[in-house]
Amino acid sequence: MRPEAFDAYLSEAIEGYAVDNVAAGRWPREGAIERSRADFESSLPRGLATPDHYLYEIKAAEDGPIVGAIWFAVIARNGIRSAFVYDLEIKTEWRRQGHATRAIQALEPIVSALGLSSIGLHVFAQNAGAQALYAGLGYGVTGFNMTKRLGE
């Protein structure tokens, strides 16, 4: 990602993550932006220079317009190093045109070149489109978080 694009990306990503967490019932609306901002500051303390974090702009074509962004990190858990996609966002007017599919497919050789054997990610339950995208690309569910809301 170009440094001059990072601030705009970050602002949009913070807003989107707050909205998703509120919609999922994980966060109350009040304070959601602040929680989201804190999560991003914790995850990317040095912005684009944060070690083991990779942010890319997604183009419609080699010389085409920027249509979105993808961010992944190298994580290590229980002695296993893998990639984790923190964010994949395609601008509204460019959705359903294959850009997300191509971005994930382009990510695979990058992850392999880093010596990592898998790519993980999180999808909010209300995002059926993303679930279908990832399932179609061979991603499988590794667990579920379930909630029962009381008194509604």
Side-chain angles (χ1 to χ4, degrees), residues 62-86:
E62 190 171 325
D63 293 326
I66 304 299
V67 299
I70 188 166
W71 163 28
F72 82 94
V74 176
I75 60 170
R77 290 201 177 115
N78 303 316
I80 299 172
R81 293 182 62 223
S82 62
F84 188 85
V85 176
Y86 279 90

Side-chain angles (χ1 to χ4, degrees), residues 2-128:
R2 295 168 298 129
E4 61 269 20
F6 180 71
D7 287 341
Y9 161 75
L10 191 60
S11 178
E12 292 172 14
I14 288 169
E15 172 72 24
Y17 189 57
V19 167
D20 286 342
N21 274 287
V22 170
R26 292 173 42 167
W27 294 352
R29 186 173 315 283
E30 184 177 322
I33 292 292
E34 292 78 12
R35 273 185 212 85
S36 183
R37 185 175 292 110
D39 276 3
F40 275 83
E41 288 172 358
S42 174
S43 297
L44 290 170
R46 294 175 51 197
L48 289 173
T50 302
D52 292 328
H53 287 256
Y54 303 85
L55 290 95
Y56 296 92
E57 292 171 290
I58 301 168
K59 290 184 173 186
E62 190 171 325
D63 293 326
I66 304 299
V67 299
I70 188 166
W71 163 28
F72 82 94
V74 176
I75 60 170
R77 290 201 177 115
N78 303 316
I80 299 172
R81 293 182 62 223
S82 62
F84 188 85
V85 176
Y86 279 90
D87 192 18
L88 170 58
E89 187 66 32
I90 303 298
K91 295 176 184 178
T92 305
E93 63 271 22
W94 293 97
R95 291 183 183 162
R96 307 284 186 253
Q97 298 177 35
H99 300 298
T101 297
R102 287 189 295 280
I104 288 291
Q105 290 169 334
L107 184 64
E108 292 176 5
I110 296 168
V111 168
S112 291
L114 290 170
L116 309 174
S117 59
S118 68
I119 302 171
L121 48 85
H122 171 268
V123 179
F124 283 99
Q126 72 267 17
N127 194 340

